[in-house]
Amino acid sequence: MANLAVDAVKDMTYDAIVIGSGISGGWAAKELTGYGLKTLVLERGKEVKHIKDYPTTTKNPWEFEHRGQLPLEVKNQNPIISKCYAFYEGTEHFFVKDAEHPYVQEKPFDWIRGYQVGGKSLLWARQTQRWSDFDFEGPARDGFAVDWPIRYADIAPWYSYVEKFAGISGNKDGVPQLPDGEFLPPHEMNCVESFFQKQVASKYKDRQVIMGRAAHITAPQPIHLEQGRAKCQHRTICERGCPFGGYFSSNASTIPWAAKTGLMTLRPDSVVHSLIYDEAKGKATGVRAIDANTKEEMEFYAKIIFVNAAALNTNLILLNSTSSRFPNGLGNDNGLMGKYVAFHNYRARVSADYDGHLDSTTDGRRPNSPYIPRFRNVYKQETGFLRGYAAGFNARRNNVTNQDGLGADLKNSLLNPSLGGWSVGSHMMGETIPKESNYVALDKSKTDPYGMPQLKISIDYDANDEKMTQDYIEQMTEMFANAGFTNIQAKDSKQAPGLDIHEMGGVRMGNDPKTSLLNKWNQLHACNNVFVTDGASMTSTSTQNPSLTYMAFTARAVDYAVKEMKKMNL
């Protein structure tokens, strides 16, 4: 019997365990197996294999029962997830429905989740900007949060490393607050977007309109062909899964790459309960999980563990990983785990009309749009609020469709609409300040379908966010007016946090174990064989989309972890 027990443990033992298979988890799997480590990837959701499990990716609109729309019954059953722009009949199978994983909203928060192999990497907006030292130095300069333990020079080579593999399109724009990267050819602006770019450049010395930097393959390189990926076809239905692998996802890129090594074991339908801590050894020795189908409890063991369950679930797992040594959560000696959660403020939009360039229109589709890098409080504090915001921008020619008539006349008017003027629009992406009052915690009285504590979320805007929102509206309105746009309209949606889908923090990096949970290598201060490289690790948010930074953090942390293992002959 003793030998049977030893053999059972051996069968469940790996060199490394990765929790989660989304953007950061997929990168952890790729890098760990690339270094020769036998790696287990635990994913709480279902299996989704590239191409095979994209059921709607080639469907035409008329092939959907409801022509892509969601029935009222589905919307009524899912008031939270239905707010997400990407949730519709062609994608609903990739989203967590409201009743499937309940949580407690101490303050309104719309938690958008995708539980499957690949996670939200199948659904993301694919915008990929580097951070600069203006971002990494922000807390130290502006006096919020804690100082980042790294600077741009520490992460720059890893940005280059992941960009080349993932495939990022963009221009080398020479914007100090938005460093250039390893770019494939950029998408093009249309004539009105280029017009606005020139107008802004002529009237403002501190503002730029650039083409967005996006994880789309515009010119496949050998490394992309080796992954089995092809050029983006500009179908703009990316959230259904791309059979060409034209945009970066774990499913098309990192997970198959890890699988090719023969060293990865991928176990979907495995809900991680907690990490196992051995007090005698002073380290984490494994992971407890629950089979999503049978509810069977399992244990897996490894020398190093990467927690990449996405920001809020990573907090949940670590807070639930209690022991005599860590009664408040693994590594949570200072009691700060779950606190200082931040997000991006997407509340405001500005729209307008433009009656110029009526001799031109657009042709085809484009999975990207222009971007306005942050210009407020960059070199000095110049406003009544801390930090700043970036903005998206786009222009499109309006169709004026005459739907009168029947039969052939109606068909002809629909197929050959007359053209009106142009519509232009912008949305903000503001940096929110991490605060102790913005937190997540375990609700001891409510459990989820797996018997685990539900996550209690208490996150809200503050006065800084309100001032920033107003400034964005004022500045974008001015920029639109200076460009000759008319009928300018601003809207503050007042939406709850969460719909940005950029929650960050709770297990933040820092130099001091008294004020942070992770060191500069994304390693728990108090349990050095556990690494966190997803959004939970973020000390502050910047204004940039965060996914590229998660990729770079993950590759860097794995490189460090493996080298440390070799030093200790593990």
Side-chain angles (χ1 to χ4, degrees):
M1 293 295 291
N3 286 336
L4 286 174
V6 170
D7 289 342
V9 170
K10 185 177 179 181
D11 289 342
M12 296 294 190
T13 299
Y14 300 82
D15 296 319
I17 295 175
V18 178
I19 301 172
S21 62
I23 280 180
S24 62
W27 267 98
K30 171 194 173 295
E31 295 301 298
L32 289 162
T33 56
Y35 279 106
L37 273 62
K38 181 183 175 186
T39 302
L40 172 66
V41 179
L42 296 172
E43 166 57 53
R44 71 176 292 151
K46 62 182 180 293
E47 171 75 283
V48 173
K49 290 186 177 179
H50 181 49
I51 304 177
K52 174 181 176 292
D53 294 322
Y54 304 156
T56 63
T57 188
T58 58
K59 277 192 173 184
N60 292 302
W62 55 87
E63 295 179 282
F64 290 98
E65 182 181 359
H66 305 100
R67 301 299 186 264
Q69 300 299 308
L70 290 169
L72 183 61
E73 180 184 10
V74 174
K75 290 184 177 181
N76 289 339
Q77 291 172 348
N78 296 279
I80 296 170
I81 198 65
S82 292
K83 297 176 186 177
C84 180
Y85 71 97
F87 183 68
Y88 61 94
E89 192 175 20
T91 62
E92 58 178 321
H93 50 283
F94 286 152
F95 284 91
V96 175
K97 309 306 185 296
D98 291 4
E100 292 173 352
H101 187 192
Y103 63 100
V104 178
Q105 297 183 63
E106 196 165 85
K107 295 178 181 177
F109 186 89
D110 297 320
W111 191 9
I112 309 301
R113 291 155 288 170
Y115 293 164
Q116 62 261 326
V117 172
K120 295 193 295 292
S121 77
L122 288 168
L123 301 164
W124 66 312
R126 306 165 308 281
Q127 291 294 296
T128 43
Q129 308 100 6
R130 293 187 179 198
W131 282 34
S132 72
D133 273 333
F134 292 107
D135 304 299
F136 287 113
E137 294 174 359
R141 190 188 83 178
D142 297 346
F144 68 93
V146 295
D147 189 13
W148 276 89
I150 63 170
R151 294 294 186 261
Y152 178 68
D154 297 303
I155 199 70
W158 295 101
Y159 276 137
S160 293
Y161 177 75
V162 300
E163 285 166 343
K164 290 174 183 175
F165 190 85
I168 310 298
S169 65
N171 280 306
K172 290 189 180 294
D173 299 293
V175 179
Q177 64 268 37
L178 201 73
D180 293 326
E182 309 290 341
F183 295 141
L184 301 173
H187 294 106
E188 294 183 4
M189 294 186 190
N190 64 42
C191 59
V192 173
E193 291 165 349
S194 294
F195 166 77
F196 183 60
Q197 180 188 48
K198 292 170 185 170
Q199 291 296 305
V200 170
S202 69
K203 293 179 171 61
Y204 300 91
K205 301 303 180 186
D206 62 340
R207 307 182 190 189
Q208 301 86 13
V209 179
I210 66 172
M211 193 60 214
R213 298 166 181 181
H216 284 267
I217 297 176
T218 53
Q221 302 301 300
I223 189 62
H224 306 127
L225 299 176
E226 192 176 348
Q227 295 173 49
R229 298 169 63 199
K231 184 177 179 179
C232 171
Q233 303 297 300
H234 289 203
R235 302 188 315 147
T236 64
I237 50 174
C238 312
E239 62 278 356
R240 299 187 200 173
C242 179
F244 304 96
Y247 75 88
F248 174 83
S249 69
S250 295
N251 308 70
S253 182
T254 48
I255 293 294
W257 193 270
K260 283 194 302 184
T261 67
L263 294 171
M264 181 186 73
T265 298
L266 175 62
R267 197 181 198 287
D269 298 309
S270 302
V271 180
V272 171
H273 175 277
S274 56
L275 275 63
I276 303 166
Y277 183 77
D278 188 312
E279 297 192 24
K281 295 180 179 178
K283 63 180 182 179
T285 54
V287 172
R288 298 184 189 91
I290 302 166
D291 187 288
N293 298 313
T294 67
K295 304 296 175 67
E296 174 193 2
E297 295 185 6
M298 307 164 289
E299 291 188 356
F300 304 96
Y301 308 96
K303 299 170 185 174
I304 56 174
I305 300 168
F306 273 70
V307 188
N308 298 89
L312 299 191
N313 270 325
T314 287
N315 275 275
L316 190 161
I317 290 168
L318 291 174
L319 286 166
N320 202 42
S321 301
T322 57
S323 62
S324 297
R325 168 67 181 85
F326 295 111
N328 300 312
L330 182 62
N332 191 23
D333 284 339
N334 54 28
L336 296 180
M337 187 173 288
K339 299 178 181 179
Y340 296 98
V341 175
F343 55 99
H344 279 149
N345 178 359
Y346 270 71
R347 277 174 28 185
R349 294 179 178 271
V350 178
S351 62
D353 297 331
Y354 180 57
D355 293 328
H357 291 86
L358 296 182
D359 58 342
S360 301
T361 187
T362 57
D363 184 36
R365 290 173 287 188
R366 184 188 63 193
N368 194 6
S369 59
Y371 179 82
I372 303 170
R374 171 186 161 200
F375 55 86
R376 287 307 224 182
N377 303 326
V378 177
Y379 291 96
K380 62 181 180 180
Q381 183 64 36
E382 59 189 358
T383 71
F385 57 87
L386 292 177
R387 312 307 289 154
Y389 49 83
F393 175 76
N394 67 86
R396 61 180 177 84
R397 190 77 188 267
N398 297 322
N399 291 335
V400 181
T401 304
N402 177 8
Q403 297 185 14
D404 293 336
L406 297 170
D409 289 342
L410 175 60
K411 290 179 181 178
N412 186 61
S413 70
L414 291 172
L415 291 170
N416 300 283
S418 58
L419 294 175
W422 292 79
S423 291
V424 299
S426 172
H427 68 275
M428 77 175 292
M429 184 164 71
E431 177 171 359
T432 66
I433 303 304
K435 303 181 293 294
E436 189 170 8
S437 58
N438 277 353
Y439 68 89
V440 297
L442 302 184
D443 190 296
K444 302 298 185 182
S445 63
K446 296 181 180 179
T447 57
D448 68 12
Y450 304 99
M452 294 172 58
Q454 289 188 24
L455 194 66
K456 179 169 58 180
I457 302 177
S458 183
I459 296 172
D460 202 356
Y461 299 100
D462 62 13
N464 198 72
D465 301 318
E466 300 296 337
K467 292 177 184 177
M468 186 184 296
T469 300
Q470 186 59 37
D471 189 78
Y472 161 81
I473 289 172
E474 292 171 358
Q475 296 304 310
M476 195 57 59
T477 298
E478 176 189 289
M479 291 161 71
F480 276 16
N482 284 338
F485 299 158
T486 59
N487 190 28
I488 301 171
Q489 298 185 34
K491 179 182 180 181
D492 179 355
S493 69
K494 303 288 186 180
Q495 66 192 39
L499 287 183
D500 52 287
I501 323 180
H502 288 177
E503 52 268 13
M504 294 174 245
V507 194
R508 68 183 181 185
M509 297 171 68
N511 291 303
D512 187 349
K514 293 180 180 179
T515 57
S516 62
L517 283 303
L518 305 170
N519 65 15
K520 65 180 180 179
W521 303 107
N522 295 79
Q523 180 181 33
L524 278 176
H525 287 302
C527 186
N528 64 12
N529 68 327
V530 174
F531 295 79
V532 178
T533 61
D534 63 11
S537 69
M538 303 296 274
T539 304
S540 61
T541 73
S542 85
T543 60
Q544 289 87 299
N545 297 65
S547 296
L548 184 70
T549 299
Y550 303 162
M551 298 186 212
F553 278 174
T554 304
R556 178 176 179 266
V558 170
D559 179 73
Y560 171 80
V562 172
K563 287 175 179 175
E564 288 299 297
M565 286 178 68
K566 289 179 178 178
K567 284 181 186 178
M568 294 183 284
N569 295 315
L570 293 178

